[in-house]
Amino acid sequence: MKTIQSDNYPIYFDNSIAELVKFIKQGKYSRFFILTDEHTSVHCLPAITDQLVDMDYYDLIEINAGEESKDIDFCIGIWKMLIDFGADRKSLMINLGGGVISDMGGFAASTFKRGIDFVHVPTTLLSQVDASVGGKTGIDINSIKNIIGTFTQPKAVFIDYDFLKTLPARQILSGLAEMLKHGLITDAAYWDALKKSDLNNPSVELIHWSVEIKNKVVIEDPTEQGIRKALNFGHTIGHAVETNSLLNDKKKALTHGEAIAIGMICEAYLSHKKAGLSLDELNEITTVINGLYPKYNIPESSFDNLLALMLKDKKNQNGQINCTLLTHIGQFSIDNICSGHELCESLKYYTSL
Amino acid sequence: MKTIQSDNYPIYFDNSIAELVKFIKQGKYSRFFILTDEHTSVHCLPAITDQLVDMDYYDLIEINAGEESKDIDFCIGIWKMLIDFGADRKSLMINLGGGVISDMGGFAASTFKRGIDFVHVPTTLLSQVDASVGGKTGIDINSIKNIIGTFTQPKAVFIDYDFLKTLPARQILSGLAEMLKHGLITDAAYWDALKKSDLNNPSVELIHWSVEIKNKVVIEDPTEQGIRKALNFGHTIGHAVETNSLLNDKKKALTHGEAIAIGMICEAYLSHKKAGLSLDELNEITTVINGLYPKYNIPESSFDNLLALMLKDKKNQNGQINCTLLTHIGQFSIDNICSGHELCESLKYYTSL
């Protein structure tokens, strides 16, 4: 599979662990740190450390898996460990895990001593097709996702398809939501290819295609002034649903992809009402997505909470809620102001399915 | 006084408050936030808010004065207030105060929603000649100064000489140390001009000259890969002395400039021993600086602590302590590894004066 060249850094697909070891051994770094969680330290770390037996200048930093670990308090814990381990400006951070690891590890590294190098080794489908590409880092405060962060590019990304074999089916579906989104916003052919494939086991080719789409968008607009907002499709409502679920459903909270799936159905409905998406296209999107993800109950009594969360979204300006919508499958329109009434209607559309 | 052009932003010296009000009123921002401390909110804020009576889209955020307020916990407080006040990506942060305000306000802004615009209105001599120029932001963790930060440029800097009139003499001397440093590292003529002037009341012309020197250095090397390290003269030892004093002297802690003055004397001694600075030049530097600042007691029993603090300095690599030294007055040499023994000798030189 071809290495994808992003904004000054490569995204490897073939022999990625060997490439990572080569990267570490090139001699540019004084020390390195591998950030893991309790899952990746068991299932993924040995594949790397087995090849580092002759090296003693690295340390492991392990955090708990899950979005709760992305809180600023855990980030402070990482900074303090870097201090205690004697990290200097020539240190390297290796983020081995899903989106929580890459977002928070990227943020911790991009601000430690005003910035040390970091690379991503994404181990979930979601992080392979989404978080690892594009240079966004972020942490949460008061459960507001990514409210604090930077735009900082990694020095390289190493995507190893084999890591996906250890993932539960629900995690695969979580990543799939972002792949579906990539098709919906810019590439009808990719959407069609996805529809025809075994979506419970997406192939490495489909993953590569998804990363190519995202990479093209973020290279054109790294700091989200325009076209990059396309990637927010499904996320205005989806993020609110996700945050609300994290706050209220606790252990049974929605995955990111499950929430974005709901968000995409709602925002496809808004696209039909406001942006020219045809009824046939809306029905097609609804049928495909709704067929993949378990139905989630959103009582009307929670709509006010959800709207309040949407208002706190980073994408808003002047207190108005802003959505990226579809004009067709494969075409988007940014900066659509949506009223509270319209947003509630879209939530009712989802609950009526 | 001529406006200085830095890396894509202006540094105003004339009618600075009027320029700030013009900047705010240009209509680019949805809201703005003025970060102050209990001193600047009394002595400096009215000069600005008196001209904003027709505006209602701003909020004040006040922190306590002093380095202790630069801890990450206070930064989290600022982030939470920005969330509560509804700050969006088109918001502007105005940092009205000394180095603590500009460093922490700059960091908070540069990471809030992955970066909102900010400007500095430095109100101390130290922040006018140092912190406000160069794009370094920073906060402290465990009393380690600026261990977390970013390189992010302000959109403008507004220097108002009148603010200095409200400052105690000790604060003027604190800023003076950085002005002396600017002469010592790159401009013997400036050093001579300083020597001949009333150093307890530096003129606006001398402040302008100092900012010009610093600006020239940081434009050439914004992320401190090389020549910018010149600005670290006096800071390897000075930062350690400052941190140690903050930890142990509490209310009677050294100012930044008092600590840097000690650091410059010690590092001038090292410059003579290791980098070619003549004995005459060492004596001249020692006499000028020692004549300006009160003598501070550094017992030998604290040397180990100081060395441990120096080892945690951001400038180090591979566990070695790195100093910027002088080859002559007005000329510097970066990346001089100094041994623990040499550093202790330099501290003994200071205590022997």
Side-chain angles (χ1 to χ4, degrees):
Chain A
M1 204 67 40
K2 220 178 114 201
T3 297
I4 295 176
Q5 196 56 37
S6 189
D7 187 12
N8 278 325
Y9 65 92
I11 304 167
Y12 295 101
F13 282 81
D14 280 340
N15 302 314
S16 295
I17 300 306
E19 292 287 352
L20 170 66
V21 172
K22 209 195 300 178
F23 184 91
I24 294 169
K25 290 190 174 174
Q26 67 184 308
K28 200 177 154 193
Y29 298 103
S30 61
R31 299 192 65 75
F32 62 97
F33 301 89
I34 308 180
L35 183 65
T36 65
D37 62 31
E38 70 265 33
H39 303 313
T40 59
S41 66
V42 173
H43 298 295
C44 309
L45 184 62
I48 298 170
T49 48
D50 284 354
Q51 298 190 51
L52 301 175
V53 282
D54 53 335
M55 292 194 171
D56 61 356
Y57 57 103
Y58 71 93
D59 291 288
L60 304 176
I61 302 177
E62 186 178 314
I63 61 168
N64 293 330
E67 183 73 27
E68 305 78 14
S69 295
K70 238 174 88 173
D71 189 83
I72 177 70
D73 288 338
F74 293 91
C75 185
I76 294 173
I78 294 174
W79 284 328
K80 287 185 176 174
M81 288 180 86
L82 289 173
I83 295 170
D84 291 344
F85 286 144
D88 63 29
R89 283 181 171 168
K90 289 284 174 199
S91 298
L92 172 72
M93 179 85 108
I94 298 170
N95 300 314
L96 178 69
V100 168
I101 293 278
S102 58
D103 286 2
M104 184 158 68
F107 180 71
S110 72
T111 53
F112 186 75
K113 301 193 178 190
R114 298 202 182 92
I116 61 173
D117 284 358
F118 61 91
V119 297
H120 295 316
V121 188
T123 59
T124 63
L125 181 58
L126 178 60
S127 59
Q128 290 189 352
V129 299
D130 188 29
S132 69
V133 189
K136 280 188 179 181
T137 76
I139 54 168
D140 307 342
I141 288 187
N142 288 355
S143 298
I144 305 174
K145 284 171 63 78
N146 298 323
I147 186 72
I148 303 301
T150 60
F151 287 105
T152 314
Q153 306 296 341
K155 291 297 164 192
V157 176
F158 305 89
I159 292 180
D160 187 328
Y161 188 64
D162 285 348
F163 284 149
L164 304 187
K165 292 176 187 157
T166 66
L167 283 187
R170 199 177 165 208
Q171 289 301 322
I172 296 290
L173 274 175
S174 182
L176 183 66
E178 296 290 348
M179 298 171 72
L180 293 165
K181 183 193 77 180
H182 290 156
L184 288 174
I185 55 173
T186 65
D187 195 334
Y190 183 55
W191 167 258
D192 286 336
L194 284 172
K195 275 193 307 181
K196 288 178 200 147
S197 68
D198 172 11
L199 289 179
N200 292 304
N201 287 298
S203 67
V204 67
E205 287 78 14
L206 286 170
I207 294 170
H208 189 272
W209 191 345
S210 194
V211 172
E212 270 186 327
I213 292 174
K214 174 154 188 194
N215 188 47
K216 209 174 142 195
V217 171
V218 299
I219 282 183
E220 204 168 316
D221 177 20
T223 58
E224 200 165 310
Q225 304 303 307
I227 177 187
R228 186 170 182 159
K229 292 182 187 172
L231 298 170
N232 291 328
F233 175 66
H235 281 61
T236 301
I237 295 174
H239 264 169
V241 170
E242 182 181 9
T243 302
N244 199 52
S245 174
L246 281 169
L247 289 171
N248 297 307
D249 301 339
K250 305 288 177 196
K251 294 274 177 199
K252 291 188 292 182
L254 291 172
T255 65
H256 178 71
E258 286 164 353
I260 297 310
I262 296 168
M264 287 195 289
I265 291 173
C266 295
E267 294 179 28
Y269 172 85
L270 291 169
S271 301
H272 170 58
K273 290 290 172 188
K274 292 171 66 86
L277 188 75
S278 73
L279 185 60
D280 281 353
E281 289 173 305
L282 169 62
N283 288 336
E284 178 182 327
I285 294 168
T286 302
T287 306
V288 170
I289 298 179
N290 211 33
L292 283 164
Y293 295 88
K295 196 64 195 297
Y296 179 70
N297 182 38
I298 307 180
E300 287 201 25
S301 58
S302 70
F303 285 10
D304 281 350
N305 270 345
L306 292 172
L307 286 177
L309 287 167
M310 288 178 218
L311 267 173
K312 288 188 179 167
D313 192 284
K314 287 188 298 299
K315 295 181 284 295
N316 296 322
Q317 283 166 23
N318 299 318
Q320 291 178 305
I321 296 173
N322 211 330
C323 289
T324 294
L325 300 178
L326 305 177
T327 55
H328 292 285
I329 287 176
Q331 288 173 30
F332 64 90
S333 151
I334 62 171
D335 290 335
N336 297 278
I337 307 286
C338 295
S339 69
H341 177 71
E342 289 167 334
L343 292 157
C344 288
E345 286 298 305
S346 77
L347 288 164
K348 279 185 200 158
Y349 170 74
Y350 172 76
T351 58
S352 75
L353 295 174
Chain B
M1 202 68 40
K2 219 178 115 205
T3 297
I4 295 176
Q5 197 56 37
S6 189
D7 187 11
N8 278 326
Y9 65 92
I11 304 167
Y12 295 101
F13 282 81
D14 279 339
N15 301 314
S16 296
I17 299 308
E19 292 288 352
L20 170 65
V21 172
K22 209 195 302 177
F23 184 91
I24 294 169
K25 290 191 174 176
Q26 68 185 309
K28 199 177 155 192
Y29 297 103
S30 62
R31 298 193 65 76
F32 63 96
F33 301 88
I34 308 180
L35 183 65
T36 64
D37 62 31
E38 71 265 35
H39 303 313
T40 59
S41 66
V42 172
H43 298 295
C44 309
L45 184 62
I48 298 170
T49 49
D50 284 355
Q51 298 189 51
L52 301 175
V53 282
D54 53 335
M55 294 194 168
D56 61 358
Y57 59 103
Y58 71 92
D59 291 288
L60 304 177
I61 302 178
E62 186 178 314
I63 61 169
N64 293 331
E67 183 73 26
E68 305 78 14
S69 294
K70 237 174 89 175
D71 190 83
I72 177 70
D73 288 339
F74 292 91
C75 185
I76 294 172
I78 294 174
W79 284 327
K80 288 186 175 174
M81 288 180 86
L82 289 173
I83 295 170
D84 291 342
F85 285 144
D88 63 27
R89 284 179 171 170
K90 290 282 175 200
S91 298
L92 171 71
M93 179 86 106
I94 298 170
N95 300 315
L96 178 69
V100 168
I101 292 278
S102 57
D103 287 1
M104 183 158 68
F107 180 71
S110 72
T111 54
F112 186 75
K113 300 194 178 190
R114 298 200 183 93
I116 61 173
D117 284 357
F118 62 91
V119 298
H120 295 315
V121 187
T123 59
T124 63
L125 180 59
L126 178 60
S127 59
Q128 291 190 352
V129 298
D130 188 29
S132 69
V133 189
K136 281 189 179 180
T137 76
I139 54 168
D140 307 341
I141 288 187
N142 287 354
S143 299
I144 305 173
K145 283 171 66 75
N146 299 322
I147 185 73
I148 303 303
T150 60
F151 287 104
T152 314
Q153 305 297 340
K155 291 296 164 190
V157 176
F158 305 90
I159 292 181
D160 187 328
Y161 188 64
D162 284 349
F163 285 148
L164 303 187
K165 292 176 187 157
T166 66
L167 283 187
R170 199 176 164 209
Q171 289 300 321
I172 295 289
L173 273 175
S174 182
L176 183 66
E178 296 290 348
M179 297 171 72
L180 294 165
K181 182 194 76 180
H182 291 154
L184 288 174
I185 55 174
T186 67
D187 194 335
Y190 183 55
W191 168 258
D192 286 336
L194 285 172
K195 275 193 306 180
K196 288 177 199 146
S197 68
D198 171 12
L199 288 179
N200 291 302
N201 287 297
S203 67
V204 65
E205 288 77 16
L206 286 171
I207 294 171
H208 189 273
W209 190 346
S210 194
V211 173
E212 271 187 325
I213 292 174
K214 174 155 188 194
N215 188 47
K216 208 175 142 195
V217 171
V218 298
I219 281 183
E220 204 169 315
D221 176 22
T223 59
E224 200 165 311
Q225 305 303 307
I227 176 186
R228 185 170 181 159
K229 292 182 187 173
L231 299 170
N232 292 327
F233 174 66
H235 281 62
T236 301
I237 295 174
H239 264 169
V241 169
E242 183 181 9
T243 302
N244 198 51
S245 173
L246 281 169
L247 289 171
N248 297 308
D249 301 338
K250 304 289 176 196
K251 294 275 177 199
K252 291 187 292 180
L254 290 173
T255 64
H256 178 70
E258 285 164 353
I260 296 311
I262 295 168
M264 288 195 289
I265 290 173
C266 293
E267 294 179 29
Y269 172 85
L270 291 169
S271 300
H272 170 58
K273 290 291 172 188
K274 291 171 67 85
L277 188 76
S278 73
L279 185 60
D280 281 353
E281 289 173 305
L282 169 61
N283 287 336
E284 179 183 326
I285 294 168
T286 303
T287 306
V288 169
I289 298 179
N290 210 33
L292 284 164
Y293 295 88
K295 195 63 196 297
Y296 179 70
N297 182 38
I298 307 180
E300 286 201 25
S301 58
S302 69
F303 286 8
D304 281 350
N305 270 346
L306 291 172
L307 286 177
L309 288 167
M310 288 177 218
L311 267 172
K312 289 189 180 166
D313 192 285
K314 287 188 298 301
K315 297 180 285 294
N316 295 323
Q317 283 167 22
N318 300 318
Q320 292 179 303
I321 296 173
N322 210 331
C323 290
T324 294
L325 300 178
L326 304 178
T327 55
H328 291 285
I329 287 176
Q331 287 173 31
F332 65 90
S333 151
I334 63 171
D335 290 335
N336 297 278
I337 308 286
C338 295
S339 69
H341 176 73
E342 289 168 332
L343 292 158
C344 289
E345 287 298 304
S346 77
L347 289 164
K348 280 185 199 157
Y349 170 74
Y350 172 75
T351 57
S352 74
L353 296 173

